Amino acid sequence: MKKYTFAVLSVLTLLFASCSASKTDKSAGDLFGTTWELEYISGPRIAFEGLYPNKKPQITFDQKETKVFGNNGCNGYSAPYTLSGKKLTFGEPGPTTMMFCEGGGEQQFVKQMSKITSYSIDTDGKLILNEGDVAMMRFKKVAKQ
């Protein structure tokens, strides 16, 4: 009877451990395979629609290349990122095609990206980019890749 109880407890322990690992891995996996569109940015005193009158910034994480790419509300960009658990930082964006952008949102977006230290995904599936404990940007999913 002791062997049977031990075997059942061992199997349950392994099952519980594998489920916990899957939940942890899924959180980071939610970043990938999705294009995220900005819906909130902290800092500017201009209304969000005024910052991005024509196009909202988007970000896509390339897990293999460890780069992000998208648009900053006007011009395209790509930048390296470093991800360790929930800690997230972005490197300098590479060269982009520069055209004049209305509203000043492009500079605000790039400035905020350089301050990011971590991320989270809330219960509504929104991507939150944080500076310390402060939510600096919030994105919604717009497309699966």
Side-chain angles (χ1 to χ4, degrees):
M1 185 68 164
K2 288 183 182 180
K3 288 181 182 179
Y4 177 73
T5 303
F6 180 73
V8 169
L9 287 175
S10 296
V11 169
L12 288 175
T13 302
L14 287 172
L15 186 62
F16 178 74
S18 69
C19 288
S20 296
S22 295
K23 288 179 183 174
T24 303
D25 294 341
K26 186 179 184 302
S27 173
D30 284 347
L31 284 175
F32 308 108
T34 299
T35 297
W36 301 91
E37 183 176 84
L38 186 69
E39 63 179 21
Y40 165 80
I41 189 165
S42 176
R45 297 179 189 260
I46 300 171
F48 185 79
E49 289 75 23
L51 283 172
Y52 307 106
N54 301 316
K55 188 176 194 178
K56 294 178 184 152
Q58 292 185 340
I59 187 170
T60 302
F61 289 80
D62 184 327
Q63 187 173 16
K64 185 176 180 181
E65 299 291 325
T66 62
K67 287 189 172 194
V68 292
F69 60 91
N71 74 72
N72 52 27
C74 182
N75 292 298
Y77 72 90
S78 71
Y81 70 86
T82 303
L83 179 65
S84 176
K86 294 290 185 182
K87 294 185 186 309
L88 174 66
T89 57
F90 297 98
E92 288 294 316
T96 62
T97 307
M98 298 301 289
M99 57 186 217
F100 176 75
C101 307
E102 289 183 52
E106 178 180 37
Q107 296 84 3
Q108 190 65 36
F109 182 79
V110 172
K111 179 180 170 185
Q112 295 297 14
M113 290 287 282
S114 70
K115 297 178 180 181
I116 300 305
T117 58
S118 66
Y119 84 96
S120 62
I121 296 178
D122 71 11
T123 56
D124 294 328
K126 309 267 176 136
L127 171 63
I128 312 296
L129 299 183
N130 305 298
E131 177 185 9
D133 294 335
V134 179
M136 301 303 284
M137 292 189 271
R138 182 180 62 233
F139 296 78
K140 65 181 178 180
K141 290 182 181 183
V142 291
K144 289 278 187 189
Q145 293 179 323

